[in-house]
């Protein structure tokens, strides 16, 4: 119930803001707005303003602003009523193309602006940050074949300086590394009481190719998946794993490495500390088809703290975060177009209404800041996706208007009809696939 409520509030806000962008720009250019609808299908609540009908419809997966004279996407060229609407100065069809493009662009623009406001609000309300960000830079894991592995960095190394500049915690280290993308840096490391110097080549785009250094995560259990081998064996949240099959472990990644080598359902011996008690349990892993390996159903504890920011700093961080998220979205779409993303990777990252509702409910349950942050990220995605040059989306209309501006005449109505059919087919197929993907996740 919480997930449904969180989803409806989120979608309602995002759609309202998007359509309000179209509405306010249409009114600004003197276009008569006939209907302002949140949702599709039969209206369940409506009221009449001075000249606009405002309504909430039954299907809350979209909305629309119906403007007088927009039956043709650009300029009506047939029929008496269309000619009349083209001559009426309050008609959408009568407006110059640059105004039509701005009206179409306003919806996505308002979603992008909303993303900045919501993420800033999240920072002001307070967002969860890992506690390790304020802890010394003790390496917990080195990704194989990563720049860090090639540089010679090892687990349990303590990084104390980057290019001679001291770094006291993970936050400072992260900032220094991100500012030197594509460059070679010298890392001063403390290993077994001795200081060593390593040369690290930082990738140009660390969002696609990480440096390969992860913090030290203690071997303490967080969530136990219900009905998993771990739960059946009696493991509980807060248990500390001391050894796996008799081999001592000091970090979570050591546990992961040992368990990842299992290729058959054979019992695993775990030495566990619970309070002052130390005991041994045997857990038989099961095969997980989604990640293609054996698992026992455990996850680590991530200690977090709520961090609040002032008004100006919150907006500065929001703009920076939205730029980062924009780059991630751009790279994801580019990789799909160029074929760098496999079908399985696309499938794993694509979620429909059910997935969004699930994550929205989880975000709201974990705190208002997280919910605002997620809503902002979805708003940003909605803004950019609507700018894609696909017919029936705002970007498709802008593209058609640009083409007509270049050729100095309207596209044939038949061509626009076919473009609309193609757009509906693409969007419809994508929605069906996303919903089907949601159901597959539920079944799994």
């Amino acid at each position: 119930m919480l997930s449904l409520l969180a989803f409806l509030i989120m979608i309602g806000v995002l759609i309202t803001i998007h359509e309000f962008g179209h509405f306010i720009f249409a009114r600004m250019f003197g276009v008569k707005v006939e209907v302002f609808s949140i949702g599709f299908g039969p209206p369940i609540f409506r009221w009449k303003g001075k000249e606009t009908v405002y309504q909430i419809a039954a299907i809350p997966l979209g909305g629309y602003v119906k403007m007088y004279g927009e039956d043709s996407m650009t300029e009506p060229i047939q029929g008496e009523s269309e000619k009349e609407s083209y001559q009426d100065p309050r008609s959408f069809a009568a407006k110059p193309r640059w105004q039509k493009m701005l009206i179409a662009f306003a919806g996505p623009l308002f979603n992008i602006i909303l993303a900045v406001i919501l993420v800033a609000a999240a920072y002001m309300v307070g967002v969860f940050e890992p506690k390790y960000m304020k802890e010394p830079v003790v390496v917990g894991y080195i990704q194989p074949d990563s720049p860090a592995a090639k540089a010679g960095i090892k687990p349990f190394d303590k990084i104390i300086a980057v290019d001679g500049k001291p770094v006291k915690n993970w936050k400072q280290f992260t900032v220094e590394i991100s500012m030197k993308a594509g460059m070679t840096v010298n890392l001063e490391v403390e290993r077994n009481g001795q200081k060593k110097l390593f040369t690290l080549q930082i990738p140009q785009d660390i969002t696609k190719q990480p440096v390969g250094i992860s913090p030290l995560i203690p071997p303490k259990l967080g969530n136990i998946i219900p009905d998993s081998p771990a739960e059946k064996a009696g493991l509980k949240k807060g248990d500390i794993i001391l050894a796996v099959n008799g081999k001592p472990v000091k970090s979570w990644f050591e546990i992961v490495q040992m368990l990842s080598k299992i290729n058959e359902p054979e019992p695993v011996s775990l030495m566990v500390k619970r309070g002052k008690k130390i005991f041994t349990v045997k857990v038989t892993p099961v095969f997980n088809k989604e990640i293609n390996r054996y698992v026992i159903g455990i996850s680590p504890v991530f200690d977090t703290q709520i961090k609040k920011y002032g008004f100006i700093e919150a907006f500065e961080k929001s703009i920076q975060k939205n730029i980062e998220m924009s780059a991630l979205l751009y790279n994801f779409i580019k990789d799909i177009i160029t074929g760098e993303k496999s079908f399985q990777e696309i499938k794993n990252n694509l979620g429909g209404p059910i997935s969004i509702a699930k994550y929205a409910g989880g975000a709201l349950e974990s705190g208002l800041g997280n919910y605002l942050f997620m809503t902002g990220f979805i708003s940003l995605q909605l803004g950019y996706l609507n700018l894609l040059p696909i017919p029936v989306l705002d970007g498709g209309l802008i593209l058609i208007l640009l083409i007509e501006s270049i050729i100095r005449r309207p596209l044939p109505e038949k061509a626009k009809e076919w473009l609309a059919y193609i757009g509906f087919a693409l969007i419809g197929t994508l929605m069906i696939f996303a919903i089907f993907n949601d159901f597959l996740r539920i079944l799994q």
Side-chain angles (χ1 to χ4, degrees):
M1 189 62 186
L2 180 64
S3 292
L4 178 61
L5 179 64
F7 173 74
L8 291 176
I9 293 172
M10 176 186 292
I11 293 299
V13 170
L14 299 186
I15 292 170
T16 301
I17 293 298
H18 181 93
E19 300 307 332
F20 182 70
H22 295 310
F23 174 82
I24 200 72
F25 268 63
R27 293 289 294 269
M28 188 168 66
F29 291 128
V31 177
K32 178 182 177 182
V33 178
E34 297 178 335
V35 181
F36 185 110
S37 179
I38 306 303
F40 297 118
I44 55 177
F45 179 71
R46 66 183 343 191
W47 70 97
K48 180 79 164 63
K50 186 177 180 181
E51 62 179 15
T52 304
V53 174
Y54 302 91
Q55 66 180 37
I56 298 175
I59 305 173
L61 296 179
Y64 62 91
V65 168
K66 187 178 185 308
M67 292 170 279
Y68 172 55
E70 68 163 337
D71 294 334
S72 170
M73 285 197 297
T74 49
E75 296 178 7
I77 56 175
Q78 296 176 1
E80 291 300 320
S81 62
E82 288 180 330
K83 288 179 181 178
E84 289 174 8
S85 69
Y86 179 58
Q87 293 168 356
D88 191 325
R90 299 213 59 201
S91 164
F92 177 78
K95 299 300 177 182
R97 292 191 183 97
W98 68 269
Q99 291 186 4
K100 294 177 187 176
M101 283 189 275
L102 284 178
I103 292 171
F105 179 69
L109 175 64
F110 271 46
N111 276 128
I112 295 169
I113 294 172
L114 178 65
V116 175
I117 294 171
L118 288 176
V119 174
Y123 280 121
M124 285 185 275
V125 169
V127 293
F128 287 99
E129 289 188 351
K131 280 189 177 180
Y132 72 77
M133 293 298 283
K134 290 189 175 181
E135 295 175 355
V137 190
V138 178
V139 178
Y141 174 72
I142 297 295
Q143 183 178 326
D145 298 323
S146 64
K150 293 173 182 176
I153 309 296
K154 294 182 179 180
F156 306 110
D157 283 348
K158 182 181 178 182
I159 301 172
I160 56 178
V162 177
D163 278 343
K165 183 177 181 179
V167 288
K168 296 181 180 179
N169 52 46
W170 278 96
K171 188 169 186 177
Q172 290 182 357
F173 175 72
T174 303
V175 170
E176 288 299 318
I177 292 298
S178 62
M179 290 174 60
K180 298 179 183 291
M183 300 169 62
T184 300
V185 299
N186 292 316
L187 298 184
E188 190 175 341
V189 172
E190 193 176 282
R191 179 185 295 171
N192 298 325
Q194 296 182 338
K195 291 183 179 179
K196 296 179 177 291
L197 201 62
F198 296 92
T199 301
L200 175 67
Q201 176 63 50
I202 302 175
Q204 186 67 46
D205 186 352
I206 58 177
T207 61
K208 293 183 69 175
Q209 185 185 357
V211 173
I213 301 176
S214 296
L216 182 64
I217 300 174
K220 187 176 181 180
L221 300 188
N223 292 325
I224 308 294
I225 296 176
D227 202 36
S228 65
E231 185 185 63
K232 293 175 181 176
L235 292 176
K236 296 181 179 180
K237 183 177 180 179
D239 286 349
I240 299 173
I241 307 298
L242 301 178
V244 178
N245 286 336
K247 186 175 180 179
V249 293
K250 294 187 291 183
S251 74
W252 180 261
F253 289 109
E254 290 179 301
I255 298 174
V256 173
Q257 283 181 319
M258 292 181 187
L259 294 180
S260 65
K261 295 176 182 177
I262 298 172
N263 51 25
E264 58 184 32
E266 58 183 10
V268 177
S269 176
L270 301 177
M271 182 181 288
V272 180
K273 183 179 181 182
R274 181 181 297 165
K276 294 182 179 180
K277 294 172 58 178
I278 295 177
F279 55 93
T280 300
V281 297
K282 288 191 178 293
V283 186
T284 302
V286 294
F287 190 74
N288 186 308
K289 293 180 180 178
E290 192 170 347
I291 60 176
N292 197 34
R293 64 183 178 88
Y294 282 90
V295 298
I296 63 174
I298 58 175
S299 64
V301 166
F302 287 102
D303 291 325
T304 59
Q305 58 187 4
I306 295 178
K307 173 73 173 176
K308 296 182 179 181
Y309 295 87
F311 183 83
I312 295 176
E313 191 178 5
F315 269 92
E316 288 175 347
K317 287 187 70 67
S318 175
I319 292 169
Q320 180 185 353
K321 181 59 68 174
N322 274 279
I323 291 172
E324 291 173 9
M325 293 190 294
S326 299
L328 287 173
L329 286 170
Y330 169 78
N331 288 327
F332 183 72
I333 293 171
K334 178 174 70 70
D335 289 347
I336 292 175
I337 295 171
T338 58
E340 290 187 33
K341 287 281 184 190
S342 67
F343 176 77
Q344 187 62 41
E345 287 177 308
I346 297 171
K347 180 175 174 292
N348 290 341
N349 284 279
L350 184 64
I354 298 173
S355 289
I356 295 174
K358 175 186 172 183
Y359 292 123
L364 183 58
E365 194 172 4
S366 65
L368 178 60
N370 284 355
Y371 182 69
L372 291 170
F373 196 98
M374 180 183 175
T375 306
F377 183 48
I378 298 294
S379 184
L380 188 71
Q381 292 184 67
L382 183 63
Y384 285 134
L385 291 177
N386 265 284
L387 287 174
L388 291 176
I390 299 174
V392 310
L393 295 181
D394 296 320
L397 176 55
I398 292 171
L399 177 63
I400 289 172
L401 291 166
L402 282 172
I403 293 172
E404 291 185 339
S405 298
I406 293 170
I407 65 176
R408 298 180 180 276
R409 66 175 185 276
L411 286 175
E413 289 296 316
K414 201 69 178 174
K416 287 184 285 189
E417 282 181 23
W418 277 104
L419 287 172
Y421 293 147
I422 293 169
F424 276 118
L426 285 172
I427 299 300
T429 302
L430 184 63
M431 281 296 296
I432 292 170
F433 179 71
I435 293 171
F436 179 71
N437 204 26
D438 282 348
F439 279 113
L440 279 182
R441 286 195 183 104
I442 292 172
L443 292 174
Q444 289 171 351

